[in-house]
């Protein structure tokens, strides 16, 4: 479980501490850094998994504008029985200036299992003994290149966890019905839903079956979600839906995924996330998941989410402005992001300040007073 | 989109009450799509005050809905350090003050009043020996798993001809007939 995030000198985050629990709702006005948090986490993940270089992910413009500090710092503290801490320090070097990694460290129970400091990598074994030193390119993540070996199991446990960190903002307009291949990772906007579902349903038939059960309760006449052959490797994602008729038994007919309504596509995606992604070590950040779906659908999804987390573990951090979400979750799980003008983001636990519901409090702009 | 009709409204103080009742209802074959939860959302005073303040309007809403579709209100309010009878009188008075008639004997409106609080019931339903004077709200034995376990036991205790053990606390034993008001 991700217990703490620390960000310094990244856009609106200055010396910013975010403690987290298993379930959390982040709320706050526009421009208080809620989505920027997801950008930061996506960038950290992309860096240490080798998907991109530091200067692509953390350009000079990502530094906090109103100060002129050269160094950016990020920390993730994760509990996986052992307590892990990833610390990243980035600065700029060369002409033209490029972002480089000054320090990339993974600690396990506050003892190093990996260090990449000033261009030198230090590897440690599972007993925290320093074993290997070698020079490495400052402009790439060395952590991303470490391969699993029996003697670095402790480090790999953290590396495996970070693969399960997902920051998503569902956008039905980008979701395609066509898939050319299986994809393990959902795209941040779930535009690759069909490809991700193709992989997930192959890997976890039981979850796929549970998803179909869920959808049959949500979409009238829903029969199945199918991947139909459309070429050597291509498949088209279709929902089979039957309209009940008094004259004859209902017969299902296919509707391509992109012919479903925006709300139906998002609901299918949300229930797919519940079934495939809410799992022991998974950490899922979802930005405004209620966008596009009807009000009566929100609370049942939240209840199901809560039940799945209780049953299977996992961590979910929701970001929302919606009154349904705020009123249902904020009293127990709310974290408020605030800024004074264009200053740095501050965070505090939601505390009721009046006889108003959280949504009414936020609507009046009174939450800032807490 | 399927029309979601929430025909069971839970009027509760907090998450533990919500979870006990939701898991209980799931055992009876209901799912999250026909349950609507109304619980304290902020600074409306204490949880019990929220339930008391909302009770009459929820009863009125259920009574108007019942004429169109099957609907049921389950209100749960802890007795806390007072008596179950006092709490019952308080919510009856709330109905009178709102000029609503008293509950009919078969009306689908359940008044569940745990003494001292729902955590007492949760532990009792987990076969633990408890009394109704001690405050178990912060008892470490109350967990998501013990609540689920409690909901399962509650389901078996509300079935016809159930054998209720002698360790069952009085407030729970007296409330069991209330569950007959749920029309599945």
């Amino acid at each position: 479980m991700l217990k703490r995030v620390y960000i310094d000198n990244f856009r609106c985050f200055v010396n910013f501490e975010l403690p987290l629990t298993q379930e959390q709702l982040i709320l706050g006005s526009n421009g208080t850094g809620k989505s920027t948090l997801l950008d930061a986490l996506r960038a950290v993940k992309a860096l240490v998994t080798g998907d991109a270089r530091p200067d692509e992910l953390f350009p000079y413009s990502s530094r906090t504008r109103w100060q002129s500090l050269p160094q950016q710092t990020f920390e993730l503290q994760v509990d996986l029985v052992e307590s892990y801490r990833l610390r990243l320090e980035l600065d700029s070097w060369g002409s033209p200036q490029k972002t480089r990694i000054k320090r990339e460290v993974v600690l396990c129970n506050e003892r190093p299992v990996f260090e990449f400091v000033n261009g030198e990598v230090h590897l440690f074994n599972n007993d925290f003994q320093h074993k290997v030193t070698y020079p490495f390119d400052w402009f790439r993540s060395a952590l991303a290149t470490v391969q699993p070996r029996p003697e670095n199991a402790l480090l790999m446990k953290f590396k495996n966890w970070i693969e399960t960190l997902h920051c998503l903002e569902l956008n039905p307009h980008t979701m395609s019905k066509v898939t050319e291949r299986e994809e393990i990772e959902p795209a941040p906007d779930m535009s690759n839903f069909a490809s991700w579902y193709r992989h997930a349903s192959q890997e976890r038939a039981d979850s796929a079956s549970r998803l179909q059960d869920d959808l049959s309760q949500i979409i009238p006449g829903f029969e199945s979600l199918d991947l139909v052959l459309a070429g050597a490797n291509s498949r088209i994602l279709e929902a089979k839906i039957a309209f009940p008729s008094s004259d004859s038994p209902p017969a299902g007919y296919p509707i391509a995924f992109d012919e479903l309504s925006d709300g139906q596509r998002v609901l299918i995606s949300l229930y797919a996330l519940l079934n495939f992604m809410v799992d022991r070590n998974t950490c899922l950040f979802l930005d405004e998941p209620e966008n596009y779906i009807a009000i009566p659908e929100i609370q049942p999804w939240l209840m199901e989410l809560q039940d799945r987390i209780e049953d299977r573990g996992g961590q979910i951090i929701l970001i929302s402005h919606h009154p349904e979400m705020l009123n249902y979750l904020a009293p127990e799980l709310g974290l408020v992001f605030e800024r004074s003008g264009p200053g740095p983001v501050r965070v505090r636990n939601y505390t009721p300040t009046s006889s108003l519901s959280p949504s009414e409090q936020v609507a009046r702009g009174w939450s800032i007073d807490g | 989109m399927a029309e979601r009709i929430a025909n069971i409204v839970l009027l509760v103080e907090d998450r533990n009450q919500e979870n006990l009742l939701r898991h209980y209802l799931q055992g009876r074959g209901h799912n999250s799509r026909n349950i609507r939860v109304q619980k304290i959302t902020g600074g409306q005073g204490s949880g019990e005050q929220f339930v008391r303040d909302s009770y009459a309007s929820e009863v009125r809403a259920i009574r108007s809905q019942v004429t169109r579709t099957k609907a049921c209100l389950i209100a749960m309010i802890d007795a806390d350090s007072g008596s179950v009878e006092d709490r019952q009188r308080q919510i009856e008075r709330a109905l009178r003050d709102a000029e609503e008639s008293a509950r009919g004997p078969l009306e689908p409106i359940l008044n569940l009043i745990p003494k001292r609080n729902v955590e007492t019931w949760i532990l009792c339903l987990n076969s633990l020996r408890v009394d109704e004077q001690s405050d178990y709200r912060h008892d470490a034995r109350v967990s998501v798993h013990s609540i689920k376990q409690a909901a399962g036991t509650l389901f078996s205790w509300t079935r016809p001809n159930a054998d209720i053990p002698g360790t069952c606390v009085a407030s729970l034993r007296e409330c069991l007939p209330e569950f007959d008001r749920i029309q599945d």
Side-chain angles (χ1 to χ4, degrees), chain A residues 217 297 304 311 324 328 358, chain B residues 18 31 33 36 41 148:
Chain A
Q217 297 195 28
E297 299 296 338
E304 291 296 327
D311 287 345
E324 274 283 287
Y328 190 67
Chain B
E18 173 195 344
N31 65 40
R33 296 184 63 73
R36 173 75 181 169
T41 57
K148 266 195 178 163

Side-chain angles (χ1 to χ4, degrees), chain B residues 48-104:
Chain B
E48 62 84 15
Q49 188 188 332
F50 167 76
V51 174
R52 270 192 290 127
D53 290 349
S54 311
Y55 182 73
S57 60
E58 288 294 346
V59 166
R60 186 180 298 129
I62 283 291
R63 282 173 173 168
S64 65
Q65 184 64 20
V66 143
T67 60
R68 288 188 282 272
T69 182
K70 210 158 58 172
C72 174
L73 171 67
I74 305 179
M76 183 175 265
I77 181 168
D78 290 341
D80 294 323
S81 54
S83 70
V84 171
E85 293 71 25
D86 284 347
R87 196 61 94 205
Q88 185 74 41
R89 275 192 290 272
Q90 283 175 342
I91 55 177
E92 284 167 4
R93 192 184 319 129
L95 275 189
R96 279 199 306 278
D97 291 348
E99 298 180 345
E100 282 291 320
S101 55
R103 272 195 320 161

Side-chain angles (χ1 to χ4, degrees), chain A residues 101-102 104 114-123 130 132-138 142:
Chain A
I101 298 175
K102 193 173 150 192
E104 184 181 38
F114 171 87
E115 283 183 349
F116 171 36
V117 182
N118 296 332
E120 209 163 60
V121 176
H122 303 273
L123 296 182
H130 182 237
V132 183
T133 301
Y134 56 91
F136 196 80
D137 180 0
W138 295 58

Side-chain angles (χ1 to χ4, degrees), chain A residues 328-342:
Chain A
Y328 190 67
L329 299 176
E332 284 150 327
L333 307 172
L335 283 175
V336 183
F337 277 28
E338 296 171 326
R339 288 176 80 182
S340 295

Side-chain angles (χ1 to χ4, degrees), chain A residues 48-121:
Chain A
V48 301
T49 54
D51 286 347
R53 288 169 167 264
D55 54 310
E56 296 167 321
L57 298 163
F58 303 97
Y60 190 80
S61 59
S62 68
R63 285 158 176 71
T64 305
R65 294 286 166 86
W66 62 85
Q67 52 182 22
S68 53
L69 295 176
Q71 182 176 302
Q72 291 182 305
T73 306
F74 301 85
E75 278 192 15
L76 304 184
Q77 196 162 330
V78 184
D79 268 7
L80 303 168
V81 183
E82 300 86 4
S83 173
Y84 284 89
R85 184 156 62 92
L86 167 72
R87 183 174 172 90
L88 272 176
E89 294 173 8
L90 309 169
D91 66 1
S92 299
W93 193 80
S95 178
Q97 290 215 322
K98 283 173 72 179
T99 305
R100 66 177 185 177
I101 298 175
K102 193 173 150 192
R103 194 176 166 86
E104 184 181 38
V105 175
V106 180
L107 303 172
C108 176
N109 296 333
E110 290 302 307
R111 300 176 73 182
V113 286
F114 171 87
E115 283 183 349
F116 171 36
V117 182
N118 296 332
E120 209 163 60
V121 176

